[in-house]
Amino acid sequence: MNRDFKHWKEAATVILASCVRNCFLNRDSTSTQACQPPRSVPKRETNVIHSWLEMPVFDYAVLMLQRSAKSSFLPHAQVFPGGTVSSSDFSSEWIQMFQPFCKPPNFKLGTVRQTSKRAPTLAMDRRKLGSEIPGEVAFRICAIRETFEESGILLVKPNASETCLSSQGAIKLTQYGQKELIHWRPLMRKNAANFIKLCKQLDCIPNIWALMEWSNWLSPTYMEGKHFDTAFFICCLQEIPFTVQDGYETVSYNWMSPPDFIDGYNSEKFYIPSPQWYELGRLCRLPHFQDLQQFCHHRALEGCERWLPIRLLASDGYAILYPGDDLYPEDPDYTGKKEINITSSKTLEQLRLEVTKLHRVELRDPHDIMLYVNIEPQYKHLHPLTMGSCQNCHL
């Protein structure tokens, strides 16, 4: 694991998106019901959507888990499954288990085209830290392990010679006995190394090829408590799998469409942290599952930037600045040793009108967010499309 940046603990999370054929998810539950065929949004309305009547029907859902009130990090929050990287995720035993199918250095994940700005947590040579497992493999193993611990969903492939390593298309999960899986979850919570034992006993390997690189977020230094350097991946599933919260870190789960989650946040039904809110907004631009799959596959090897959100305090609220904004620091302190805040006596509007390049969200209260962005997204990615009180403003 990376010891260079002690302020942030390395972590991984995965956005699980599942096809929901001929139905949409009820916003108040995880049940499904019949619906009309999806409608397209008129092109003139694709930047700002003001009501649910104008929204296309989404034919897929994503998984979010509600963290326990006792959690030391983001209590009560809705988050994607994931957690902190363990030394066992970098264990050399994985090399032996993957040996029949792939070998270091990149385990047939493909070579990311990005070079100079590749997220350090994924790009660094882990051999300097004593591991032959590269970060892009270990972080996927972490995300798969944590997803199983928190939701009971096991993203693995059978350990068989005919195993396909292609990441094209949605994956169908291998079925295992629920009693056996329930047995392993508390064992893995006690010791992450038990994931290796699980894979050996079930004769399977983590399906690292189903997880595609999506983004990399650093916890803002203005946040109290723990701070994480988190790799975000995305994985497309053919159908919603059996899901159950662990009752320890997570107390409930929801499979809902991205706009349903945004709507729940806007109406103060629940809290969604800003990285998850931003990523849900990106998904809102892709209402159809087939388009989402094609987009993920198209940019799978493009890479991603490391984003450290910076807070801008104004007289009437505050903004969160992202890379590319004119007020974003040229050289932010990635060591995390000091808190970075930009303070001004001007209003948010005044500060916005004084600059040319915008990539920020403005907040006047926790559930009143406005996103302003007029720069091109990097690495063939998307800017968010947000609804209701959270409007996406392209200037």
Side-chain angles (χ1 to χ4, degrees), residues 41-105:
V41 180
K43 289 184 178 180
R44 60 182 177 86
E45 298 179 355
T46 56
N47 283 343
V48 181
I49 289 181
H50 298 283
S51 74
W52 286 108
L53 295 177
E54 297 171 358
M55 277 300 299
V57 174
F58 276 64
D59 62 358
Y60 69 91
V62 296
L63 173 66
M64 296 198 82
L65 308 167
Q66 181 175 333
R67 295 186 62 81
S68 166
K70 299 179 181 179
S71 174
S72 59
F73 182 71
L74 297 176
H76 301 290
Q78 296 277 337
V79 297
F80 304 123
T84 308
V85 170
S86 165
S87 58
S88 66
D89 300 325
F90 286 92
S91 172
S92 59
E93 288 190 63
W94 291 116
I95 296 178
Q96 301 171 15
M97 296 181 68
F98 284 120
Q99 187 71 30
F101 314 102
C102 58
K103 301 176 182 178

Side-chain angles (χ1 to χ4, degrees), residues 114-126 134-136:
Q114 184 185 23
T115 54
S116 60
K117 289 188 177 181
R118 181 147 167 74
T121 196
L122 296 170
M124 71 166 48
D125 187 350
R126 298 284 171 163
E136 57 188 1

Side-chain angles (χ1 to χ4, degrees), residues 61 92 117 128 185 192 367:
S92 59
K117 289 188 177 181
K128 298 177 181 178
R185 290 177 73 188
H367 291 271

Side-chain angles (χ1 to χ4, degrees), residues 38 40 59-60 214 234 236 283 285-299 382:
S40 298
D59 62 358
Y60 69 91
W214 188 258
I234 190 166
C236 295
L283 296 179
R285 288 196 173 276
L286 298 164
H288 305 310
F289 188 63
Q290 185 176 359
D291 293 339
L292 175 65
Q293 291 182 77
Q294 291 176 352
F295 175 78
C296 293
H297 177 67
H298 180 62
R299 73 162 308 277
L382 295 169

